[in-house]
Coordinates of all heavy atoms in Angstrom, one line a residue:
M1196 N 11.7 2.7 14.8 CA 11.3 3.1 13.4 C 9.8 3.4 13.4 O 9.0 2.8 14.1 CB 11.5 1.8 12.6 CG 11.1 2.1 11.1 SD 11.4 0.6 10.1 CE 10.3 0.8 8.8
A1197 N 9.5 4.5 12.6 CA 8.1 5.0 12.5 C 7.3 3.9 11.9 O 7.7 3.0 11.2 CB 8.1 6.2 11.7
K1198 N 6.0 3.9 12.2 CA 5.1 2.9 11.7 C 4.3 3.3 10.5 O 3.9 2.4 9.7 CB 4.1 2.5 12.8 CG 4.7 1.9 14.0 CD 3.6 1.5 15.1 CE 4.3 1.2 16.4 NZ 3.4 1.5 17.5
F1199 N 4.1 4.6 10.3 CA 3.2 5.1 9.2 C 3.9 6.2 8.5 O 4.6 7.0 9.1 CB 1.9 5.6 9.8 CG 1.2 4.5 10.6 CD1 1.2 4.6 12.0 CD2 0.4 3.5 10.0 CE1 0.5 3.6 12.7 CE2 -0.2 2.6 10.7 CZ -0.2 2.6 12.1
R1200 N 3.6 6.3 7.2 CA 4.1 7.4 6.4 C 2.8 8.1 5.8 O 2.0 7.4 5.2 CB 5.0 7.0 5.3 CG 5.5 8.2 4.4 CD 6.7 7.8 3.5 NE 7.8 7.5 4.4 CZ 8.8 6.7 4.1 NH1 8.9 6.2 2.9 NH2 9.8 6.5 4.9
V1201 N 2.7 9.4 6.0 CA 1.6 10.2 5.5 C 2.1 11.0 4.3 O 3.1 11.8 4.5 CB 0.9 11.1 6.5 CG1 -0.2 11.9 5.9 CG2 0.4 10.2 7.7
I1202 N 1.6 10.9 3.1 CA 2.1 11.6 2.0 C 1.0 12.4 1.4 O -0.2 12.0 1.2 CB 2.5 10.5 0.9 CG1 3.6 9.6 1.5 CG2 3.1 11.2 -0.3 CD1 3.7 8.3 0.8
I1203 N 1.3 13.6 1.0 CA 0.4 14.5 0.2 C 0.9 14.7 -1.2 O 2.1 15.1 -1.3 CB 0.2 15.9 0.9 CG1 -0.3 15.7 2.3 CG2 -0.9 16.6 0.1 CD1 -0.5 17.0 3.0
D1204 N 0.2 14.3 -2.1 CA 0.6 14.4 -3.5 C 0.1 15.8 -4.1 O -1.1 16.0 -4.3 CB 0.0 13.2 -4.3 CG 0.4 13.2 -5.8 OD1 0.9 14.2 -6.3 OD2 0.2 12.2 -6.4
Y1205 N 1.0 16.7 -4.3 CA 0.7 18.0 -4.8 C 0.3 18.0 -6.3 O -0.2 19.0 -6.8 CB 1.8 19.0 -4.5 CG 1.9 19.3 -3.1 CD1 3.1 20.0 -2.6 CD2 0.9 19.1 -2.2 CE1 3.2 20.3 -1.3 CE2 1.0 19.4 -0.9 CZ 2.1 20.0 -0.4 OH 2.2 20.3 0.9
T1206 N 0.5 16.9 -7.0 CA 0.1 16.9 -8.4 C -1.4 16.8 -8.5 O -2.0 17.1 -9.5 CB 0.7 15.8 -9.2 OG1 0.3 14.5 -8.7 CG2 2.3 15.9 -9.1
V1207 N -2.1 16.3 -7.3 CA -3.5 16.2 -7.4 C -4.3 17.0 -6.3 O -5.5 17.2 -6.4 CB -4.0 14.7 -7.3 CG1 -3.7 14.0 -8.6 CG2 -3.3 14.0 -6.1
C1208 N -3.6 17.5 -5.3 CA -4.2 18.3 -4.2 C -4.7 19.6 -4.9 O -4.0 20.3 -5.5 CB -3.2 18.7 -3.1 SG -3.9 19.8 -1.9
Q1209 N -6.0 19.9 -4.6 CA -6.7 21.1 -5.2 C -6.9 22.2 -4.2 O -7.4 23.2 -4.5 CB -8.0 20.7 -5.8 CG -7.9 19.7 -6.9 CD -7.2 20.2 -8.1 OE1 -7.4 21.3 -8.6 NE2 -6.2 19.4 -8.6
G1210 N -6.5 21.9 -2.9 CA -6.5 23.0 -2.0 C -7.9 23.4 -1.4 O -8.0 24.5 -0.9
F1211 N -8.9 22.6 -1.6 CA -10.2 23.0 -1.1 C -10.4 22.8 0.4 O -11.2 23.3 1.1 CB -11.3 22.2 -1.8 CG -11.4 22.6 -3.3 CD1 -11.4 21.6 -4.2 CD2 -11.5 23.9 -3.6 CE1 -11.5 22.0 -5.6 CE2 -11.5 24.3 -5.0 CZ -11.5 23.3 -6.0
G1212 N -9.5 21.9 1.0 CA -9.4 21.8 2.4 C -10.3 20.9 3.2 O -10.5 21.1 4.4
A1213 N -10.9 19.9 2.6 CA -11.6 18.9 3.3 C -10.8 18.3 4.5 O -11.3 18.0 5.6 CB -12.2 17.8 2.4
C1214 N -9.5 18.0 4.2 CA -8.6 17.4 5.2 C -8.5 18.4 6.4 O -8.5 17.9 7.5 CB -7.3 17.2 4.5 SG -6.5 18.6 3.7
V1215 N -8.4 19.7 6.1 CA -8.2 20.6 7.2 C -9.4 20.7 8.1 O -9.3 20.9 9.3 CB -7.9 22.0 6.5 CG1 -7.7 23.1 7.6 CG2 -6.6 22.0 5.7
E1216 N -10.6 20.6 7.5 CA -11.8 20.6 8.3 C -11.9 19.4 9.3 O -12.4 19.6 10.3 CB -13.0 20.5 7.3 CG -13.2 21.6 6.4 CD -13.5 22.9 7.1 OE1 -14.3 22.9 8.0 OE2 -13.0 24.0 6.6
L1217 N -11.3 18.3 8.9 CA -11.4 17.1 9.7 C -10.3 16.8 10.6 O -10.4 16.0 11.5 CB -11.6 15.9 8.7 CG -13.0 15.8 8.0 CD1 -12.9 14.8 6.9 CD2 -14.1 15.5 9.0
C1218 N -9.1 17.4 10.3 CA -7.9 17.1 11.1 C -7.0 18.3 11.3 O -6.6 18.9 10.3 CB -7.2 15.9 10.4 SG -5.8 15.3 11.3
S1219 N -6.8 18.6 12.6 CA -6.0 19.8 12.9 C -4.5 19.6 12.5 O -3.7 20.6 12.6 CB -6.1 20.2 14.3 OG -5.7 19.1 15.1
K1220 N -4.1 18.4 12.2 CA -2.7 18.2 11.8 C -2.5 18.7 10.4 O -1.3 18.8 9.9 CB -2.4 16.7 11.8 CG -2.6 16.0 13.1 CD -1.6 16.5 14.1 CE -1.8 15.8 15.5 NZ -0.9 16.3 16.5
F1221 N -3.5 19.0 9.6 CA -3.4 19.6 8.3 C -3.7 21.1 8.3 O -4.5 21.5 9.0 CB -4.4 18.9 7.3 CG -4.0 17.4 7.1 CD1 -4.4 16.4 8.0 CD2 -3.3 17.0 5.9 CE1 -4.0 15.1 7.8 CE2 -3.0 15.7 5.7 CZ -3.3 14.7 6.7
D1222 N -3.0 21.7 7.4 CA -3.2 23.2 7.3 C -3.1 23.6 5.8 O -2.3 23.0 5.1 CB -2.0 23.8 8.1 CG -2.4 25.3 8.5 OD1 -3.5 25.7 8.3 OD2 -1.4 26.0 8.9
L1223 N -3.9 24.6 5.4 CA -3.8 25.1 4.1 C -2.9 26.3 4.0 O -3.0 27.2 4.8 CB -5.2 25.5 3.6 CG -6.0 24.5 2.8 CD1 -7.3 25.1 2.3 CD2 -5.2 23.8 1.7
S1224 N -2.0 26.2 3.0 CA -1.0 27.3 2.9 C -1.6 28.4 2.0 O -2.1 28.2 0.9 CB 0.3 26.8 2.3 OG 1.1 27.8 1.9
D1225 N -1.4 29.7 2.5 CA -1.8 30.8 1.6 C -0.8 31.0 0.5 O -1.1 31.6 -0.5 CB -1.7 32.1 2.5 CG -2.8 32.1 3.5 OD1 -3.8 31.4 3.3 OD2 -2.6 32.8 4.5
V1226 N 0.4 30.4 0.7 CA 1.5 30.6 -0.3 C 1.2 29.8 -1.6 O 1.2 30.3 -2.7 CB 2.9 30.3 0.3 CG1 4.0 30.4 -0.8 CG2 3.1 31.1 1.5
D1227 N 1.0 28.5 -1.4 CA 0.9 27.6 -2.6 C -0.5 27.0 -2.7 O -0.8 26.2 -3.6 CB 1.9 26.5 -2.6 CG 1.9 25.6 -1.3 OD1 0.9 25.8 -0.6 OD2 2.8 24.8 -1.1
A1228 N -1.5 27.3 -1.8 CA -2.8 26.8 -1.8 C -2.8 25.3 -1.8 O -3.7 24.6 -2.4 CB -3.6 27.3 -3.0
K1229 N -1.9 24.7 -1.1 CA -1.8 23.2 -0.9 C -2.0 22.9 0.5 O -1.6 23.7 1.4 CB -0.5 22.6 -1.5 CG -0.2 22.9 -2.9 CD -1.1 22.2 -3.8 CE -0.8 22.4 -5.3 NZ -1.7 21.9 -6.2
S1230 N -2.4 21.7 0.8 CA -2.5 21.2 2.2 C -1.1 20.8 2.7 O -0.3 20.2 2.0 CB -3.4 20.0 2.3 OG -3.4 19.5 3.6
H1231 N -0.8 21.1 3.9 CA 0.5 20.7 4.6 C 0.2 20.0 5.8 O -0.7 20.4 6.6 CB 1.3 22.0 4.9 CG 1.7 22.7 3.6 ND1 2.9 22.4 2.9 CD2 1.1 23.6 2.9 CE1 3.0 23.2 1.9 NE2 1.9 23.9 1.8
V1232 N 0.9 18.9 6.1 CA 0.7 18.1 7.3 C 1.8 18.3 8.2 O 3.0 18.5 7.9 CB 0.5 16.6 6.9 CG1 1.7 16.0 6.2 CG2 0.1 15.8 8.1
E1233 N 1.5 18.4 9.5 CA 2.4 18.7 10.6 C 3.6 17.8 10.5 O 3.5 16.6 10.5 CB 1.7 18.6 11.9 CG 2.5 19.1 13.1 CD 1.6 19.0 14.4 OE1 0.6 19.7 14.5 OE2 1.9 18.1 15.2
G1234 N 4.8 18.4 10.5 CA 6.1 17.7 10.6 C 6.6 17.2 9.3 O 7.7 16.6 9.2
A1235 N 5.9 17.5 8.2 CA 6.3 16.9 6.9 C 7.5 17.6 6.3 O 7.8 18.8 6.5 CB 5.1 17.0 5.9
K1236 N 8.2 16.8 5.5 CA 9.3 17.4 4.7 C 8.9 17.2 3.2 O 8.2 16.3 2.8 CB 10.6 16.6 5.0 CG 11.0 16.8 6.4 CD 12.4 16.2 6.6 CE 12.9 16.6 8.0 NZ 13.1 15.5 8.9
K1237 N 9.6 18.0 2.4 CA 9.3 17.9 0.9 C 9.8 16.6 0.3 O 10.9 16.1 0.7 CB 10.1 19.1 0.2 CG 9.4 20.4 0.3 CD 10.1 21.4 -0.5 CE 9.4 21.9 -1.6 NZ 8.8 22.3 -2.5
V1238 N 9.0 16.1 -0.5 CA 9.5 14.9 -1.3 C 9.0 15.2 -2.7 O 8.4 16.2 -3.0 CB 8.8 13.6 -0.8 CG1 9.2 13.2 0.6 CG2 7.3 13.7 -0.9
A1239 N 9.5 14.3 -3.7 CA 9.0 14.5 -5.0 C 7.5 14.5 -5.1 O 6.8 13.7 -4.5 CB 9.5 13.3 -5.9
N1240 N 7.0 15.5 -5.8 CA 5.5 15.7 -6.0 C 4.7 16.1 -4.8 O 3.5 16.1 -4.8 CB 4.9 14.4 -6.6 CG 5.5 14.1 -8.0 OD1 5.9 15.1 -8.7 ND2 5.5 12.9 -8.4
G1241 N 5.4 16.4 -3.7 CA 4.6 16.8 -2.5 C 5.4 16.8 -1.2 O 6.5 17.3 -1.2
E1242 N 4.8 16.2 -0.2 CA 5.5 16.2 1.1 C 5.1 14.9 1.9 O 4.0 14.3 1.6 CB 5.2 17.5 1.9 CG 3.8 17.7 2.3 CD 3.6 18.9 3.2 OE1 4.3 19.9 3.0 OE2 2.8 18.8 4.2
A1243 N 5.9 14.6 2.9 CA 5.6 13.3 3.6 C 6.1 13.5 5.0 O 7.1 14.2 5.3 CB 6.2 12.1 2.9
V1244 N 5.5 12.7 6.0 CA 6.0 12.7 7.3 C 5.8 11.2 7.8 O 4.9 10.5 7.5 CB 5.2 13.6 8.2 CG1 3.7 13.3 8.3 CG2 5.7 13.7 9.7
D1245 N 6.8 10.8 8.6 CA 6.8 9.4 9.2 C 6.3 9.6 10.6 O 6.8 10.4 11.4 CB 8.1 8.8 9.1 CG 8.5 8.3 7.7 OD1 7.6 8.4 6.8 OD2 9.6 7.9 7.5
L1246 N 5.4 8.8 11.0 CA 4.7 8.9 12.4 C 4.7 7.5 13.1 O 4.5 6.5 12.4 CB 3.3 9.4 12.2 CG 3.1 10.8 11.6 CD1 1.7 11.0 11.3 CD2 3.7 11.9 12.5
D1247 N 4.8 7.6 14.4 CA 4.6 6.4 15.2 C 3.1 6.0 15.3 O 2.8 4.8 15.4 CB 5.2 6.5 16.6 CG 6.7 6.5 16.5 OD1 7.3 5.9 15.6 OD2 7.4 7.2 17.4
E1248 N 2.3 7.1 15.4 CA 0.9 6.8 15.6 C 0.1 7.8 14.7 O 0.5 8.9 14.5 CB 0.5 7.2 17.1 CG 1.1 6.3 18.1 CD 0.7 4.9 18.1 OE1 -0.4 4.6 17.6 OE2 1.5 4.0 18.6
L1249 N -1.0 7.3 14.2 CA -1.9 8.1 13.4 C -2.8 8.8 14.3 O -3.3 8.2 15.3 CB -2.7 7.3 12.4 CG -1.9 6.7 11.2 CD1 -2.8 5.8 10.4 CD2 -1.2 7.7 10.4
D1250 N -3.1 10.0 14.1 CA -4.2 10.8 14.8 C -5.4 10.8 14.0 O -6.0 9.7 13.7 CB -3.6 12.2 15.2 CG -4.5 12.9 16.2 OD1 -5.6 12.5 16.4 OD2 -4.0 13.9 16.7
C1251 N -5.8 11.9 13.5 CA -6.9 12.0 12.6 C -6.5 12.0 11.1 O -7.3 12.3 10.2 CB -7.7 13.3 12.9 SG -6.6 14.8 13.1
H1252 N -5.3 11.6 10.9 CA -4.7 11.6 9.5 C -5.6 10.7 8.6 O -5.8 11.0 7.4 CB -3.3 11.1 9.5 CG -2.4 11.9 10.4 ND1 -2.2 11.7 11.7 CD2 -1.5 13.0 10.0 CE1 -1.4 12.6 12.2 NE2 -0.9 13.4 11.2
K1253 N -6.0 9.5 9.1 CA -6.7 8.6 8.2 C -8.1 9.1 7.8 O -8.5 9.0 6.7 CB -6.8 7.3 9.0 CG -7.4 6.1 8.2 CD -7.2 4.8 8.8 CE -7.8 3.7 8.0 NZ -9.2 3.4 8.3
K1254 N -8.7 9.8 8.8 CA -10.0 10.4 8.5 C -9.9 11.4 7.4 O -10.7 11.5 6.5 CB -10.5 11.0 9.8 CG -12.0 11.2 9.9 CD -12.3 11.6 11.4 CE -13.6 12.3 11.5 NZ -13.8 12.9 12.8
A1255 N -8.8 12.2 7.5 CA -8.6 13.3 6.5 C -8.3 12.7 5.2 O -8.8 13.2 4.1 CB -7.4 14.2 7.0
A1256 N -7.5 11.7 5.2 CA -7.1 11.0 3.9 C -8.3 10.4 3.2 O -8.4 10.6 2.0 CB -6.0 10.0 4.2
E1257 N -9.1 9.8 4.0 CA -10.3 9.1 3.4 C -11.3 10.2 2.8 O -12.1 9.9 1.9 CB -11.0 8.3 4.4 CG -10.2 7.0 4.7 CD -10.7 6.2 5.9 OE1 -11.4 6.7 6.7 OE2 -10.2 5.0 6.0
A1258 N -11.3 11.4 3.4 CA -12.2 12.4 3.0 C -11.7 13.2 1.8 O -12.5 14.0 1.2 CB -12.5 13.4 4.2
C1259 N -10.5 13.1 1.4 CA -10.0 13.9 0.3 C -10.6 13.5 -1.0 O -10.5 12.4 -1.4 CB -8.4 13.7 0.2 SG -7.8 14.6 -1.2
P1260 N -11.3 14.4 -1.6 CA -12.1 14.1 -2.8 C -11.2 13.8 -4.0 O -11.6 13.3 -5.0 CB -12.9 15.3 -3.1 CG -12.3 16.4 -2.4 CD -11.5 15.8 -1.2
F1261 N -9.9 14.2 -3.9 CA -9.0 13.9 -5.0 C -8.0 12.8 -4.8 O -7.0 12.6 -5.5 CB -8.3 15.3 -5.4 CG -9.2 16.3 -5.8 CD1 -9.7 17.3 -4.9 CD2 -9.7 16.4 -7.1 CE1 -10.6 18.2 -5.3 CE2 -10.6 17.3 -7.5 CZ -11.0 18.3 -6.6
N1262 N -8.1 12.1 -3.6 CA -7.2 11.0 -3.3 C -5.8 11.5 -3.3 O -4.9 10.8 -3.8 CB -7.4 9.9 -4.3 CG -6.9 8.6 -3.7 OD1 -6.8 8.4 -2.5 ND2 -6.5 7.7 -4.6
A1263 N -5.6 12.7 -2.7 CA -4.2 13.3 -2.7 C -3.4 12.9 -1.4 O -2.2 13.1 -1.4 CB -4.4 14.8 -2.7
I1264 N -4.1 12.3 -0.4 CA -3.4 11.9 0.8 C -3.3 10.4 0.9 O -4.3 9.7 0.8 CB -4.1 12.4 2.1 CG1 -4.4 14.0 1.9 CG2 -3.3 12.1 3.3 CD1 -5.3 14.5 3.0
H1265 N -2.1 9.9 1.0 CA -1.9 8.5 1.1 C -1.2 8.1 2.4 O -0.4 8.9 3.0 CB -1.0 8.0 0.0 CG -1.5 8.4 -1.4 ND1 -2.6 7.7 -1.9 CD2 -1.2 9.4 -2.2 CE1 -2.9 8.3 -3.1 NE2 -2.1 9.3 -3.3
I1266 N -1.6 7.0 3.0 CA -1.0 6.5 4.2 C -0.5 5.1 4.0 O -1.2 4.2 3.5 CB -2.0 6.5 5.4 CG1 -2.5 8.0 5.6 CG2 -1.3 6.0 6.7 CD1 -3.6 8.1 6.7
I1267 N 0.8 4.9 4.3 CA 1.5 3.6 4.2 C 1.8 3.1 5.5 O 2.4 3.8 6.4 CB 2.8 3.8 3.4 CG1 2.6 4.6 2.1 CG2 3.4 2.4 3.1 CD1 2.2 3.9 0.9
N1268 N 1.5 1.8 5.7 CA 2.0 1.1 6.9 C 3.5 0.7 6.6 O 3.7 -0.1 5.7 CB 1.2 -0.1 7.2 CG 1.6 -0.9 8.4 OD1 2.8 -1.0 8.7 ND2 0.7 -1.5 9.2
L1269 N 4.4 1.3 7.3 CA 5.8 1.1 7.0 C 6.3 -0.3 7.4 O 7.3 -0.8 6.8 CB 6.7 2.1 7.7 CG 6.5 3.5 7.2 CD1 7.3 4.5 8.0 CD2 6.9 3.7 5.7
K1270 N 5.7 -1.0 8.3 CA 6.1 -2.3 8.7 C 5.7 -3.4 7.6 O 6.4 -4.3 7.4 CB 5.5 -2.7 10.0 CG 6.1 -1.9 11.2 CD 6.0 -2.7 12.5 CE 6.4 -1.9 13.7 NZ 7.7 -1.3 13.7
T1271 N 4.5 -3.2 7.1 CA 4.0 -4.2 6.1 C 4.0 -3.7 4.7 O 3.7 -4.5 3.7 CB 2.5 -4.5 6.4 OG1 1.7 -3.3 6.3 CG2 2.4 -5.1 7.9
N1272 N 4.3 -2.4 4.5 CA 4.3 -1.7 3.2 C 2.9 -1.7 2.6 O 2.7 -1.5 1.4 CB 5.2 -2.4 2.2 CG 6.6 -1.8 2.2 OD1 6.8 -0.7 2.6 ND2 7.6 -2.6 1.9
E1273 N 1.9 -1.9 3.4 CA 0.5 -1.9 3.0 C 0.1 -0.5 2.8 O 0.3 0.4 3.7 CB -0.4 -2.6 4.0 CG -1.8 -2.6 3.7 CD -2.7 -2.9 4.9 OE1 -2.1 -3.1 6.0 OE2 -3.9 -3.0 4.8
K1274 N -0.6 -0.2 1.7 CA -1.2 1.1 1.5 C -2.6 1.2 2.3 O -3.5 0.4 1.9 CB -1.4 1.4 0.0 CG -1.7 2.8 -0.3 CD -1.5 3.0 -1.8 CE -1.8 4.4 -2.3 NZ -3.2 4.7 -2.3
I1275 N -2.7 1.9 3.3 CA -3.9 2.0 4.1 C -4.9 2.9 3.4 O -6.1 2.6 3.4 CB -3.6 2.5 5.5 CG1 -2.6 1.6 6.2 CG2 -4.9 2.7 6.3 CD1 -2.1 2.2 7.5
V1276 N -4.5 4.0 2.9 CA -5.4 4.9 2.2 C -4.7 5.3 0.9 O -3.5 5.6 0.9 CB -5.7 6.2 3.0 CG1 -6.7 7.1 2.2 CG2 -6.3 5.9 4.3
Ligands
SF4_989 S1 -8.7 17.4 1.0 FE1 -7.2 16.7 -0.5 S2 -7.4 18.1 -2.2 FE2 -8.3 19.1 -0.5 S3 -6.7 20.3 0.4 FE3 -6.7 18.3 1.5 S4 -5.2 17.1 0.4 FE4 -5.7 18.8 -0.9

């Protein structure tokens, strides 16, 4: 079972790309001007990916000025970011 869930909330993502600058796992789409994280699938209000290990995701999430990126520890249900 994956240990972490990374979620991007598109209701608040403004597409300025601080996350993309800090972590190559994130990419800005020309189509919708939202951030996309590698391996993610669509969920309500955005997208999410389950991961065994975090790379630079936490750094990107902490840098988001709109608090659009959330990280959950799936074992403890603790919200890390
Ligand atoms: S830093 Fe936050 S608001 Fe900016 S593109 Fe990334 S997720 Fe969206």
